[in-house]
Amino acid sequence: MTLISRNPADPDDVLVRLTAPGAFAAADAVERARTAQAAWADAGAAARSAALGAVADAVDAAAAELAALAVREVGKPLAEARAEVARTAAIWRYYAQAPYAPTGAVHETAAGPGLLLTRRRPHGVAGLITPWNFPFAIPTWKAAPALAAGNAVVLKPAPEATACAQRLAELVEQALPDGVFTLVPGGATEGGALVSAADVVSFTGSSGVGRSVVRSATARGIPVQAEMGGLNAALVLPDADFGLAAAHIAASIAGYAGQKCTATSRVIAVGAALDPLREALTEALRAVPVGDPAADGTVCGPLITENARAEVASAWRDLPVLAGGSVPDGPGWYAAPTLVEKVAPGHRLLREEVFGPVAALLTAGDLDHAVRLTNAARYGLVTSVHTADLSAALHGLDRLDTGMVRVNAPSTGVDFHLPFGGSKASSFGPREQGQAALDFYTSSRTYTLSPARVL
């Protein structure tokens, strides 16, 4: 397999062209990581903390270079690329403190002298399979907690983000002992081999591939988590600030061309909210700056591939378009931020994650109806609720089948120190990020310490 990574704003600009290393290379990387892992786990809190802190410093020092690389390779608008790099450094720094945290507890015995201890220990080698849309942050929020807990890491990034992964790996490897962090570029072959060899697996990507990863890992009896997308709704009640809600929702539809699992793809206007929301959101989407991701002020850049743009354009075909609905001429895989209405219940926009800057405007008679519409999707990642009524917001919080609910805020946005994940088809296994990630990359062990003889 020849792996090619192109600039989506200028497809003639090829960043990477290489031959994928194959399944053996992935399996070999795991074995080398397993050899290095024991010493890394035994190195102690100070050594692991210092190493992760050094990665954070290296990311900060290379911030401008990394942001420019994300713009060029995955078409991320410059402002978002800079923010992602800053978050990447912050995540490494956050987990640099984790090695000093307690890893267990001491308990009294039920009877007699002795001690009962619980202690969390690393699994061994963490196999990480990551997408292209957050080429620095997602590999980091998987690798940093795994390393902090004493695991070694083998990373298989998406082919479209190979150059970003290679540069991140260079920064990480400089701070860590040999073999503790290894990059294996490639596609499905390398990813499958990694799942077949690692001791714990974390995946972010499409639903279909994620289900395959889960099946393979669970058949081996190893811990696995999979984040597999969303079909996220924004609920807007009649008492909402329509200008603010429209600004939040437009940003969640069009930001980075909608190429986020937390992007808004369904907008549900409740009762009398329909007309003012339709007007405000249509105006907001038409005003979104679209164009070269390297330009200051760009919000919506190109889609990642030509096929991705074709999929997005097909999603609005034959639907009434309120904003957008066009594909600009010229180089680059661009699509205008689009809002459609009168979408039939069985339409693909209400069943599948399109992963582009397009959303459907729906109507609900009341909040209960809006909650039912939201929960009807097979995904359950994040929902935003826009209202001035705290009681209504709390009502929605209790009944929505999504892993995250954001009130009077965009559906996009992640707090890396809190658990991240969804329900239903969006996620499988434990949550990512924060303390939840440290728990996932370790297993709990119980020790009974009894005296050799009773005095």
Side-chain angles (χ1 to χ4, degrees):
M1 170 187 171
T2 300
L3 188 155
I4 301 173
S5 176
R6 299 179 183 274
N7 179 346
D10 179 9
D12 291 334
D13 177 20
V14 176
L15 285 82
V16 175
R17 186 190 300 271
L18 57 82
T19 300
F24 176 79
D28 183 61
V30 171
E31 288 309 307
R32 287 186 284 108
R34 189 166 283 120
T35 300
Q37 185 268 330
W40 172 247
D42 290 342
R48 295 203 302 275
S49 176
L52 269 62
V55 177
D57 292 341
V59 170
D60 275 336
E65 173 201 352
L66 296 177
L69 185 57
V71 170
R72 182 181 169 206
E73 184 171 39
V74 299
K76 178 157 288 194
L78 181 59
E80 286 209 35
R82 288 170 173 163
E84 181 182 347
V85 173
R87 177 166 47 151
T88 298
I91 294 169
W92 284 108
R93 201 160 277 120
Y94 170 80
Y95 284 110
Q97 302 307 307
Y100 289 109
T103 60
V106 179
H107 302 264
E108 290 290 332
T109 62
L115 290 174
L116 297 177
L117 307 178
T118 59
R119 190 182 185 194
R120 301 199 70 87
R121 303 300 297 153
H123 294 295
V125 178
L128 312 181
I129 301 174
T130 59
W132 50 263
N133 58 337
F134 287 87
F136 301 120
I138 292 182
T140 289
W141 81 47
K142 294 179 186 294
L147 292 166
N151 298 279
V153 162
V154 178
L155 169 67
K156 204 296 290 181
E160 297 87 349
T162 300
C164 288
Q166 288 173 330
R167 187 66 184 105
L168 178 63
E170 290 172 358
L171 299 178
V172 176
E173 289 169 355
Q174 289 171 7
L176 301 179
D178 289 345
V180 173
F181 182 98
T182 305
L183 175 71
V184 177
T189 296
E190 291 75 16
L194 182 56
V195 174
S196 296
D199 302 309
V200 56
V201 171
S202 181
F203 168 89
T204 299
S206 70
S207 178
V209 176
R211 288 194 297 269
S212 176
V213 168
V214 168
R215 285 193 298 269
S216 297
T218 53
R220 292 184 57 222
I222 64 169
V224 59
Q225 63 183 188
E227 294 298 331
M228 299 174 287
L231 192 59
N232 310 302
L235 279 58
V236 184
L237 277 65
D239 63 351
D241 180 326
F242 296 111
L244 181 62
H248 286 163
I249 296 168
S252 297
I253 295 170
Y256 192 22
Q259 297 172 120
K260 305 174 186 179
C261 60
T262 54
T264 296
S265 52
R266 296 177 296 153
V267 183
I268 302 175
V270 179
L274 177 60
D275 289 341
L277 177 63
R278 179 196 285 121
E279 179 179 355
L281 183 54
T282 298
E283 181 179 345
L285 280 173
R286 288 172 177 168
V288 169
V290 180
D292 182 357
D296 287 331
T298 294
V299 171
C300 183
L303 278 299
I304 189 65
T305 64
E306 186 174 15
N307 286 341
R309 183 176 66 175
E311 284 292 309
V312 169
S314 70
W316 67 60
R317 188 176 298 133
D318 301 325
L319 290 172
V321 173
L322 297 172
S326 63
V327 174
D329 294 329
W333 297 311
Y334 295 91
T338 299
L339 181 67
V340 296
E341 62 177 351
K342 298 181 180 177
V343 182
H347 194 278
R348 61 176 295 204
L349 279 175
L350 307 184
R351 294 183 292 105
E352 303 172 14
E353 183 184 40
V354 174
F355 221 60
V358 55
L361 178 61
L362 310 174
T363 61
D366 55 25
L367 180 57
D368 287 342
H369 185 198
V371 169
R372 291 196 301 273
L373 287 176
T374 301
N375 292 344
R378 67 188 184 97
Y379 294 96
L381 184 56
V382 59
T383 302
S384 65
V385 180
H386 303 265
T387 179
D389 185 348
L390 179 59
S391 297
L394 292 174
H395 179 73
L397 290 174
D398 288 339
R399 299 186 58 201
L400 290 164
D401 292 339
T402 52
M404 298 175 288
V405 179
R406 295 170 62 84
V407 178
N408 296 321
S411 63
T412 52
V414 173
D415 297 300
F416 61 77
H417 56 295
L418 294 178
F420 175 88
S423 63
K424 300 186 288 190
S426 288
S427 300
F428 178 91
R431 294 291 191 249
E432 293 195 280
Q433 304 191 149
Q435 180 61 44
L438 294 167
D439 291 343
F440 172 70
Y441 289 112
T442 56
S443 62
S444 179
R445 300 182 185 180
T446 300
Y447 302 89
T448 301
L449 280 66
S450 299
R453 59 191 178 91
V454 178
L455 300 177

